[in-house]
Structure formats: structure tokens, C-alpha cells
Amino acid sequence: VEAARGRTGETVPADYFRRLYRKDADPWGFASSEYERSKYRATLAALPRLRYTSGLELGCSIGVFTAMLARRCASLRAVDCSPEAVRAAQLRCSSLAHVWVEECDLAKSFPRGRYDLVTICEIGYYFAPRDLARICDDIAAVLAQAGDLVLVHWTPPVEGHAQTADDVHATFINDERFAVAVSRRTQQYRLDVLSKK
Ligand SMILES: C[S@@+](CC[C@H](N)C(=O)[O-])C[C@H]1O[C@@H](n2cnc3c(N)ncnc32)[C@H](O)[C@@H]1O
């Protein structure tokens, strides 16, 4: 049913991604796609600050964006639920002593700490509304006042996603703990930067 595409309402289990990376080391072609590269550049260009003290990247995959984001952060913590992706990201960032990549299933736990930048890019739509609401609370708890939250998501509906990109961004935009600082939309993705009040 067309109306249901991109809205199963159920969190995609971490095991789905673990199996995916066992079959294909780079399932979305992050290391080679010019589309991804230009989206990463647009994301970095949208960051309100030149430098961050402490960044947190949720769903870092094989670390392609991690390595780029690392240039803007004095320290950067990146997490993903797939051990294969985490190992690849660790290898890609092995010369960057200020980057830590760890395994974490965000449907079950959330990294502790204090951050002035959190990114949630191409991952929010895998979570059921109740899980995303909890992640929103977790982000609000770890993000420093005036810290930036970056959201980037592919907008066309995708079969099997729990929610659409617009649902995901609305969860954060409609939350009174955040204020919209930057809002952009291309034909393929939307990018919002929110500031913690
Ligand atoms: C489409 S990729 C996006 C990667 C990266 N953020 C980017 O924009 O290039 C989604 C990533 O989220 C990870 N992921 C999905 N569900 C997760 C969960 N419950 N906990 C942690 N990571 C998860 C997947 O393993 C995958 O690497």
C-alpha cells in the first residue's frame, strides 16, 4: 500500500544491520558515492560553529563522515550497532587519536557524556516513534545548552522504514527543548540544525 511506505511503525532490529554489513562491507556505497560526499559537504557547511569541543555521531556506519566531522571536533565519539561497521570506522579513523568509535544499539542504550554537537543522519527513520522519542530525550540530556543537533534524512518514502524523514525531523522540531537554526531541503534529503535551548 503506497500510503504505508516508509511507515511500518516498528523499529528495524539491530540484527538487520549486523547481517547487512556481514554481506556487504559498504551497503550504501558511502566510500564511493558522489551523492553522499556532496551531502556530507553540505552538512559540514551547515554547522553553525567552526569548531566543537565534543561531538557525538549516532549511526556512524563505516566512518566516512566520521573522518570528515573529526576535523571540526576536538573530540568525537561515534557509535553504530554493527560490529563490522564499527571495526571499519575504527580502521578508517585509526590515525585520529581524538576519535572513539564504539558499538551501541541505540534502541537499547545511549552513550553517556556531555556534547556540544550531536548528529543523527540517515538513522532516525529506523526507529519506532516511541524509541525515537526516548532517543530525543537522551539527546536533550547529553547536549549542552546552545549545543547543536544535526538531522539529515533521505525524504522519498522507503519500504521497511519505521517512519518518514519528515516524521523524524518533526519529532525534534516540535520539541520545545530545541530551536531551529538551519533548515534546508533538496529533492532527495532534508537537513535541519537545531540548537538546544
Ligand atoms: C544509512 S546508514 C547512515 C550512516 C551515516 N550516518 C551516514 O549518514 O552516512 C544507517 C546506520 O545506522 C546504523 N543503525 C541502525 N540502527 C541502529 C541502532 N539501533 N543503533 C545503532 N546504530 C544503528 C546502521 O548500522 C547503519 O550503519
Side-chain angles (χ1 to χ4, degrees):
V1 181
E2 185 64 24
R5 290 184 69 218
R7 279 189 183 191
T8 66
E10 296 299 325
T11 293
V12 180
D15 266 348
Y16 169 82
F17 298 98
R18 293 178 181 133
R19 279 198 301 273
L20 194 65
Y21 281 103
R22 266 180 238 133
K23 279 193 277 183
D24 182 346
D26 185 6
W28 289 273
F30 293 132
S32 55
S33 155
E34 188 41 48
Y35 163 76
E36 297 294 344
R37 186 113 347 215
S38 94
K39 191 183 62 179
Y40 293 156
R41 280 195 294 264
T43 305
L44 293 171
L47 293 182
R49 294 186 215 167
L50 197 55
R51 300 281 305 161
Y52 290 88
T53 302
S54 181
L56 173 64
E57 184 190 9
L58 303 175
C60 63
S61 181
I62 58 171
V64 177
F65 184 61
T66 316
M68 297 171 79
L69 187 61
R71 294 187 207 124
R72 304 283 291 273
C73 299
S75 77
L76 177 62
R77 187 171 184 182
V79 299
D80 201 282
C81 63
S82 153
E84 274 80 8
V86 165
R87 271 196 292 279
Q90 285 169 337
L91 197 62
R92 181 166 272 104
C93 298
S94 57
S95 64
L96 306 171
H98 64 297
V99 176
W100 289 266
V101 188
E102 293 158 359
E103 190 181 330
C104 171
D105 177 357
L106 292 162
K108 296 194 174 139
S109 65
F110 195 87
R112 299 286 141 229
R114 198 91 187 127
Y115 306 94
D116 56 356
L117 175 68
V118 176
T119 70
I120 176 156
C121 302
E122 311 289 10
I123 176 174
Y125 37 45
Y126 297 123
F127 297 104
R130 65 181 176 281
D131 286 337
L132 193 67
R134 198 217 3 101
I135 289 170
C136 180
D137 285 344
D138 288 332
I139 291 172
V142 299
L143 192 58
Q145 193 182 6
D148 292 322
L149 168 63
V150 179
L151 296 137
V152 182
H153 291 89
W154 170 261
T155 42
V158 178
E159 198 109 40
H161 281 188
Q163 308 192 59
T164 67
D166 288 330
D167 295 332
V168 171
H169 287 230
T171 299
F172 293 88
I173 288 170
N174 295 335
D175 190 306
E176 289 186 346
R177 292 170 289 190
F178 303 104
V180 179
V182 176
S183 200
R184 305 222 171 103
R185 201 183 262 274
T186 73
Q187 284 191 331
Q188 288 156 315
Y189 68 89
R190 63 179 291 183
L191 186 169
D192 290 281
V193 182
L194 278 53
S195 170
K196 169 95 179 293
K197 288 182 188 166

